[in-house]
Amino acid sequence: MKLTVVGCSGSFPSAESACSSYLVEADGFRLLLDMGNGALGELQRHCGLYDLDAIFLSHLHADHCIDMCGYFVARYYRHDGGRCPAIPVHGPEGTEQRLTTAYADTPSASSMSEVFDFHTLKPGHFEIGPFSVRTERLAHPVEAYGIRLEHGGRTLTYSGDTGVCDGLDDLAAGADLFLCEASFTHGKEDIPDLHLNGREAGAYARRAGAGRLVLTHIPPWTDPRQTLSDATAVYSGPTDVAHPGAVYEV
């Protein structure tokens, strides 16, 4: 598997990065994990607009899904080659309604489903293209899912947004690469069921025996150097702070 960081800023785009979006490729199949603010533009540095094969939306906060409205325009109104066929979109219950409401002026109430083939996420196992997928509902104010991708004997886990919860331990166990949110600063913010801090992300990686930890979803007001220091205080494996354009072979 090949992982490319499209955007990694938490809550809103920074001067350096779009919000959450990660491109995972294997066997010529392209799966996008989330499409937050600014991600659609950045995505075109790494993939053609019409070259995605499926999309996973971890939850329906704007910093993880709002650029789907722009992607609707690109797919629905394409003239050269005709309208795009519907691409599978795996998201929480109500994803179609959320995007339709956010766009606010679709030609009809069902226009989104003409270019997006919506699949409702539930905890469990299924397949997306060549990937064996497991999803778990995690701790966040809205319905939110983490995802575990397996392919060719290798495993990538993406936390999405979550507070401390048991489900993330299950998803991350033995992952070769653990892409984990670390929005909070240890000792500064402590809001249950919302986000992790760097120390908590590191502890998850240590318990999981993860091969590599990549910290992501760090908001513009948070010092990533402190987040990295907090994570490496409890996890001794290779640890990076995500940045746009970073590529990992898993």
Side-chain angles (χ1 to χ4, degrees):
M1 291 181 284
K2 176 184 175 183
L3 168 68
T4 302
V5 177
V6 177
C8 53
S9 184
S11 299
F12 59 93
S14 70
E16 292 79 29
S17 178
C19 284
S20 294
S21 192
Y22 312 92
L23 180 64
V24 184
E25 301 173 77
D27 295 347
F29 190 96
R30 296 180 176 93
L31 169 64
L32 192 71
L33 308 178
D34 286 337
M35 194 185 287
N37 317 43
L40 184 58
E42 288 299 311
L43 177 64
Q44 294 171 71
R45 299 181 185 273
H46 311 288
C47 176
L49 271 177
Y50 308 110
D51 293 335
L52 290 177
D53 296 292
I55 299 169
F56 167 87
L57 299 177
S58 63
H59 65 291
L60 300 180
H61 280 155
D63 59 329
H64 291 258
C65 75
I66 202 63
D67 267 27
M68 290 289 290
C69 291
Y71 197 43
F72 165 77
V73 172
R75 297 187 72 87
Y76 191 89
Y77 293 104
R78 185 180 73 165
H79 292 287
D80 293 341
R83 183 178 297 168
C84 296
I87 182 175
V89 175
H90 301 263
E93 186 172 0
T95 295
E96 179 178 4
Q97 292 78 9
R98 173 76 167 91
L99 296 179
T100 300
T101 300
Y103 189 84
D105 192 27
T106 53
S108 75
S110 62
S111 293
M112 283 280 175
S113 62
E114 293 181 42
V115 293
F116 298 140
D117 178 18
F118 292 101
H119 298 260
T120 300
L121 286 173
K122 299 293 181 185
H125 298 263
F126 56 100
E127 293 183 355
I128 301 177
F131 302 107
S132 176
V133 176
R134 177 180 173 184
T135 53
E136 290 285 351
R137 185 165 178 178
L138 303 180
H140 206 52
V142 299
E143 186 176 359
Y145 291 87
I147 187 171
R148 178 184 177 97
L149 298 172
E150 298 184 10
H151 178 269
R154 306 288 285 176
T155 301
L156 184 160
T157 296
Y158 169 48
S159 67
D161 281 9
T162 184
V164 173
C165 63
D166 293 339
L168 187 56
D169 280 308
D170 296 335
L171 286 181
D176 296 288
L177 189 147
F178 182 26
L179 180 63
C180 187
E181 77 118 288
S183 306
F184 286 164
T185 300
H186 176 63
K188 178 183 176 184
E189 300 122 327
D190 184 15
I191 304 172
D193 300 332
L194 185 57
H195 290 297
L196 302 175
N197 60 45
R199 191 175 183 88
E200 289 165 339
Y204 272 110
R206 184 191 66 228
R207 290 195 300 270
R212 177 179 291 274
L213 172 63
V214 180
L215 301 164
T216 194
H217 199 269
I218 299 174
W221 58 69
T222 297
D223 183 354
R225 296 169 297 180
Q226 184 62 53
T227 304
L228 179 63
S229 176
D230 290 341
T232 56
V234 295
Y235 170 69
S236 59
T239 307
D240 303 315
V241 173
H243 65 271
V247 175
Y248 296 91
E249 297 291 339
V250 183

